[in-house]
Amino acid sequence: DAKTTQPNSMESNEEEPVHLPCNHSTISGTDYIHWYRQLPSQGPEYVIHGLTSNVNNRMASLAIAEDRKSSTLILHRATLRDAAVYYCIRNQAGTALIFGKGTTLSVSS
Amino acid sequence: DTGVSQNPRHKITKRGQNVTFRCDPISEHNRLYWYRQTLGQGPEFLTYFQNEAQLEKSRLLSDRFSAERPKGSFSTLEIQRTEQGDSAMYLCASSLLAGGKDTQYFGPGTRLTVL
C-alpha cells in the first residue's frame, strides 16, 4: 500500500510551470513527504522532501497543505529533461520507502 | 561524493544459476537499502542494513535471496537458483540516518534477465 494517491499521467509544455499533486490523507504527524523522479532505465532520483513547511531547492518547490493531507510538487519551468515518472512517498525517517505507480509527466516542446 | 554505484549494470543468466550483485554506497552513509523494480511498477523494498546489521527483510525476500554488508560499507545481494520471475531491476540506495532525517540516494540499478 503506497499510502499516497497521484494522477497516472500529466502533460506540460516546455518552459511552463508544472504542478504535480499528491494526496496523503492518512499521513501521521511524523511522516515526511518525499518526491523522487525516475527516468527510463535509471534509478530513482531524489527531488525534494518536507515535513510541515513549504520547501524550495534548485530542482523544485514543495507546497504542503496546512492539514498535511496533500502536497504539490512544483517545477517552475519544465524542460524536456523533466519528463519522468514522479513518485510522492510518505514515510518516517529510518524506514523503507513505499513507492506507488507515480505520475508519468510528459513535456512537449 | 561519487554517488551510489552498482555492479554489474546488466546480468543475463540461465534459470537455476546463482547471481551476485554489488552495491557501493555513498561514503559515510550508515544505512543501505535494497529494492526490486519490475516493469511498469514502482520499486519494492527488499531489505536494509544499519552499518553491518541487517535490520529488516521484506516478505518478498525468499530464502533464495541473501544480502550481506560485512564491514558496514559495500553490500552484496545474492540470488540462488534463479527463476524467470526474478527478472527485474535491482536497486540499491544509501542514506545517513541522523537527526531524524534519512534521505535515500539511489544507484543506477542492476538489470537482471533470467532466461
Side-chain angles (χ1 to χ4, degrees):
Chain A
D1 179 9
K3 304 179 186 178
T4 62
T5 304
Q6 300 177 252
N8 290 333
S9 62
M10 290 186 66
E11 295 180 354
S12 175
N13 294 318
E14 208 173 5
E15 300 192 3
E16 290 185 354
V18 181
H19 292 236
L20 297 166
C22 180
N23 182 287
H24 30 78
S25 58
T26 60
I27 194 168
S28 72
T30 53
D31 283 350
Y32 284 84
I33 300 156
H34 299 262
W35 284 82
Y36 284 79
R37 70 182 185 183
Q38 188 173 26
L39 296 170
S41 299
Q42 295 188 21
E45 177 186 22
Y46 167 77
V47 178
I48 200 166
H49 78 283
L51 186 60
T52 57
S53 304
N54 294 344
V55 184
N56 300 296
N57 66 20
R58 63 175 179 80
M59 290 182 70
S61 295
L62 176 60
I64 302 173
E66 196 169 334
D67 63 6
R68 301 210 325 128
K69 293 185 177 181
S70 65
S71 62
T72 302
L73 178 71
I74 303 166
L75 306 179
H76 296 285
R77 288 182 64 194
T79 69
L80 296 178
R81 289 175 296 179
D82 291 323
V85 179
Y86 286 78
Y87 296 100
C88 168
I89 301 163
R90 46 165 273 217
N91 84 322
Q92 297 187 1
T95 64
L97 299 173
I98 300 175
F99 290 78
K101 291 192 174 182
T103 297
T104 299
L105 175 66
S106 302
V107 180
S108 302
S109 58
Chain B
D1 181 356
T2 58
V4 178
S5 61
Q6 293 187 246
N7 288 287
R9 295 291 310 277
H10 303 274
K11 179 69 177 179
I12 300 174
T13 191
K14 293 182 179 178
R15 189 176 51 188
Q17 297 295 307
N18 299 343
V19 294
T20 300
F21 309 141
R22 176 177 170 128
C23 171
D24 286 89
I26 294 171
S27 180
E28 307 301 325
H29 277 191
N30 52 10
R31 285 278 177 116
L32 190 148
Y33 298 80
W34 285 99
Y35 295 83
R36 181 178 72 182
Q37 185 174 26
T38 53
L39 204 60
Q41 303 296 317
E44 298 173 291
F45 166 70
L46 292 177
T47 188
Y48 80 84
F49 294 83
Q50 168 93 11
N51 299 315
E52 66 274 11
Q54 189 173 16
L55 296 187
E56 185 177 347
K57 299 181 192 179
S58 159
R59 60 177 175 76
L60 295 175
L61 209 70
S62 76
D63 56 6
R64 296 185 297 106
F65 288 68
S66 63
E68 295 183 339
R69 193 183 183 197
K71 296 183 179 180
S73 56
F74 73 92
S75 175
T76 58
L77 178 68
E78 181 182 15
I79 309 174
Q80 296 182 329
R81 306 181 302 282
T82 53
E83 301 173 355
Q84 289 185 326
D86 297 331
S87 295
M89 175 79 87
Y90 290 83
L91 294 159
C92 173
S94 72
S95 70
L96 177 63
L97 178 62
K101 298 184 179 180
D102 177 36
T103 300
Q104 297 180 31
Y105 296 92
F106 285 80
T110 294
R111 180 164 298 283
L112 172 66
T113 302
V114 182
L115 302 176

